[in-house]
Every structure is written in structure tokens, then in C-alpha cells.
Amino acid sequence: MRKKLWGIGLAVVAAIVFTPQMASAATTTTPSVQTPGGARVLLNPITIGSCNSGLGDVSVQRMNAASVGTIDLFCGDSKSGYVHIRDRHQKDWQTVIDLTHGGGTLWDDFMVASTSQIVSNPSAGYPKSEGSGKLCYTAPIVIHDPVTKTVSTYHPTVIVSQNRKLVITSFPTKAAPNCTGD
């Protein structure tokens, strides 16, 4: 049985504290669901089902990105979007959750919450242009235990298409962003 994750909080630039409860309040299309293990689901399961069915143009999450405005994380395909992130980086996101809290939340909820905060409040000097209309975003994600003691800090990398206004990829990096992406 997975432990219920009570104390995960994301802090971006140390002044913003983001909790899963805030994410669900900001997402009007997301039903309130809990897994049998007790983890709260923030993403709409019907939308994720659409991604699993190969509907690449469905928006999983709309976000506000610094320097770009409104962007979407679409279901996408093997090259970009939710499907790409799931296929290439699900294990990376799950490892962060497992190492810092022993599980207890869903990798994609954590990824979307982190990605949304990073693109809306990037670190100083970001986003950086990577050429071909791509922007690289990063910001520290501070993970807390239930009594708000810092457990770990990550610096995930998010690559956004400035022209198409969509998330290409998002993956956790421990020390510094990897703006060359994949």
C-alpha cells in the first residue's frame, strides 16, 4: 500500500508555496478523485484516457507561461506533450516522488503542478532561447515533509515551443537544468 502524501508542497523561488489542493482549485475540469491507495488525482482521468487513445490534440492542462502567455500541455505524441513525457520521463518523475516521500502521489499530477509553476514563475534569467522557437524554463522545486522541513530541492527543465505555445517536455533535474532537452 502506498503512503498517503500529506505534506508535499512545492516552493518556487522560495516565496511561492504550491500545494496539490491549490492545483485542484485552479482546475475547474478536474473531478475530485482518490486512488484506492488514497492519492488525490488532480488531472482529469477522462483527458488522460484521451491521451491513451491517441488523441494528440487534447489539452491536458492550460498554463500561463512567462514571456509567452497561455500555453497548453497537449496529449501530443512521442516527440512532445504528455505522451512524450510519460514515455521518456515518467520514471524520472516517479523516482523524485519515491525518493522524497516514498510514493503517495501520482507522477503526472506532480509533473503538471511542477511544470505549471516553473513556466509561470521561472528562475531569474529564464526562459532562455534554445533556438528554433524553443524556450527553456527552470525554477527550484522545494519538496517538504509533513512538518514543512525541506526534504530535497530539484531544478526541473521545461522546454516550450514559443511559436506553437505548447509544452514539448518536462523532466526533473537535480542540480541544474538541461536546456538541450529531449
Side-chain angles (χ1 to χ4, degrees), residues 62-66 68-71 115-121 137:
R62 182 157 280 173
M63 306 170 195
N64 227 350
V68 178
T70 303
I71 63 170
T115 299
S116 182
Q117 286 298 300
I118 290 165
V119 299
S120 65
N121 298 293
Y137 291 78

Side-chain angles (χ1 to χ4, degrees), residues 158-179:
V158 180
I159 306 294
V160 169
S161 170
Q162 184 174 16
N163 304 332
R164 295 173 40 214
K165 297 194 177 230
L166 57 83
V167 175
I168 296 171
T169 193
S170 177
F171 52 95
T173 45
K174 182 68 175 152
N178 175 6
C179 289

Side-chain angles (χ1 to χ4, degrees), residues 10 18 23 27 42-43 48 60-63 73 82 85 93 106-119 170:
L10 303 178
F18 182 78
T27 307
L42 301 179
L43 295 177
I48 301 306
V60 174
Q61 183 75 33
R62 182 157 280 173
M63 306 170 195
L73 170 61
Y82 178 88
I85 297 166
W93 284 107
L106 302 174
W107 77 270
D108 50 359
D109 287 336
F110 182 68
M111 178 274 296
V112 168
S114 298
T115 299
S116 182
Q117 286 298 300
I118 290 165
V119 299
S170 177

